[in-house]
Amino acid sequence: MTKYCLTVACPTGRGIVAAIATYLSDNGCNITDSSQFDDAQTERFFMRVSFTSQEGVSLAALEEGFAQTAQAFAMTAKFHDEAERMKVVIMVSRFGHCLNDLLYRWRIGALPIDIVAVISNHMDYQKVVVNHDIPFYCIKVTKENKPEAEAEQMRIVRETGAELIVLARYMQVLSDEMCRAMSGRIINIHHSFLPSFKGANPYKQAYERGVKLIGATSHYVTADLDEGPIIEQDTIRVTHAQSPEDYVSLGRDVEAQVLARAIHAHIHRRVFQSGNKTVVFAASPGSYASERMG
């Protein structure tokens, strides 16, 4: 049996869940997992449904037949084949902890994506990327060549068919044009000290202020630097006994985990943007399972 999922966003109203469940049942489908949220503040309704097609109805047929229901409720609705892996481009600079973590999760199947390219403004990780049989592109970025560099990056995104860009500690600010072109399809990771500790050595600044919580934030990239809709966050406790170097090391672990969880939510269509916020549904059973160990 083929596994699909349906994502829906629409104005809140009565009968939405019933209409979706009835349509799927009438077309030989069995719902295996469902999440919904009615945002009273925005009067918007969000839903994600996982289901199996028990009578072999195709994705195209399901989508076509649902058009009337979608129109009746003013829905933005999309059917997805859960077996299809999202194509991802990773961008990285000189901090490799997030990149290496993603490569490992990808290799064991814990993060079911197709990494179609890695782009960097340095050569540090060329060997490790090529050793994974992934195309590596080094594109230097300066104030003078930034438009040309971004044009080359976007060429790679288009030619690979990438649906998502992951900034795995890519230390260049993207232009407003690139942010708009890939709106809702660029995920970033950074420490959660902003706006208190900006600039160089934020972990050292936090250490000097006696910070007791280290955190990381993963969000969609917008033209407003580090202020896009938040997907995932986490923290870890530190004490006076830790050194500045401990802060950095512990911070790297949190960053890698938070970024991986944010990507996992996005590729499984669990994230819905609602203004400058997100609705993030819990993972379906089995979606974290790895294909193999090590």
Side-chain angles (χ1 to χ4, degrees):
M1 292 182 292
T2 307
K3 293 185 66 177
Y4 298 132
C5 85
L6 167 64
T7 57
V8 169
C10 63
T12 188
R14 292 179 297 178
I16 300 171
V17 176
I20 292 172
T22 299
Y23 175 80
L24 292 175
S25 177
D26 289 348
N27 284 272
C29 300
N30 180 50
I31 295 174
T32 57
D33 184 60
S34 179
S35 299
Q36 66 189 67
F37 177 67
D38 195 332
D39 190 337
Q41 187 175 23
T42 63
E43 297 185 339
R44 295 284 293 171
F45 177 83
F46 304 93
M47 189 172 187
R48 181 191 183 281
V49 184
S50 292
F51 61 94
T52 55
S53 176
Q54 296 182 322
E55 296 179 7
V57 181
S58 70
L59 195 67
L62 286 169
E63 194 150 34
E64 182 179 355
F66 193 70
Q68 186 175 352
T69 302
Q71 184 177 13
F73 291 94
M75 292 177 181
T76 300
K78 182 69 176 175
F79 287 83
H80 308 273
D81 186 339
E82 294 196 348
E84 291 184 2
R85 296 191 172 205
M86 189 175 291
K87 294 181 178 180
V88 177
V89 166
I90 298 176
M91 297 175 67
V92 63
S93 290
R94 307 198 96 159
F95 297 104
H97 51 288
C98 289
L99 171 65
N100 283 296
D101 180 78
L102 295 177
L103 290 174
Y104 174 74
R105 293 174 191 268
W106 163 77
R107 189 171 67 244
I108 68 170
L111 201 58
I113 57 178
D114 283 341
I115 304 176
V116 294
V118 173
I119 300 173
S120 181
N121 52 333
H122 300 279
M123 288 294 293
D124 299 48
Y125 300 104
Q126 186 261 352
K127 185 175 181 180
V128 69
V129 171
V130 171
N131 284 347
H132 282 83
D133 294 323
I134 298 169
F136 177 86
Y137 301 88
C138 183
I139 302 175
K140 300 291 184 180
V141 182
T142 65
K143 290 182 179 179
E144 292 74 24
N145 81 335
K146 190 176 182 69
E148 292 79 12
E150 285 198 348
E152 179 65 9
Q153 293 164 357
M154 287 302 298
R155 181 192 66 78
I156 294 168
V157 170
R158 287 192 302 270
E159 291 185 357
T160 58
E163 303 165 77
L164 177 68
I165 296 175
V166 174
L167 305 183
R169 293 305 304 272
Y170 180 68
M171 308 305 288
Q172 293 286 329
V173 177
L174 302 185
S175 69
D176 292 358
E177 292 76 17
M178 188 168 180
C179 293
R180 283 193 292 266
M182 294 294 293
S183 178
R185 294 182 292 161
I186 307 176
I187 294 177
N188 190 26
I189 183 70
H190 60 75
H191 57 76
S192 288
F193 296 141
L194 296 172
S196 298
F197 308 125
K198 298 180 180 180
N201 298 317
Y203 287 104
K204 183 179 180 182
Q205 296 177 55
Y207 170 80
E208 291 172 347
R209 285 288 301 277
V211 165
K212 299 298 186 288
L213 284 174
I214 288 176
T217 295
S218 187
H219 62 92
Y220 288 116
V221 174
T222 65
D224 296 321
L225 183 63
D226 294 329
E227 294 184 13
I230 294 170
I231 307 169
E232 180 64 48
Q233 292 178 298
D234 204 353
T235 59
I236 186 171
R237 297 197 67 84
V238 292
T239 74
H240 63 277
Q242 257 105 41
S243 69
E245 292 75 21
D246 290 332
Y247 276 43
V248 172
S249 181
L250 292 167
R252 287 173 180 163
D253 287 343
V254 178
E255 289 173 6
Q257 292 174 46
V258 167
L259 180 58
R261 292 204 296 265
I263 296 169
H264 189 277
H266 180 88
I267 65 173
H268 284 96
R269 324 286 180 176
R270 296 192 283 114
V271 186
F272 296 76
Q273 290 195 54
S274 181
N276 199 41
K277 300 189 299 181
T278 59
V279 173
V280 184
F281 290 129
S284 297
S287 65
Y288 279 109
S290 302
E291 295 173 354
R292 54 189 179 277
M293 297 293 292

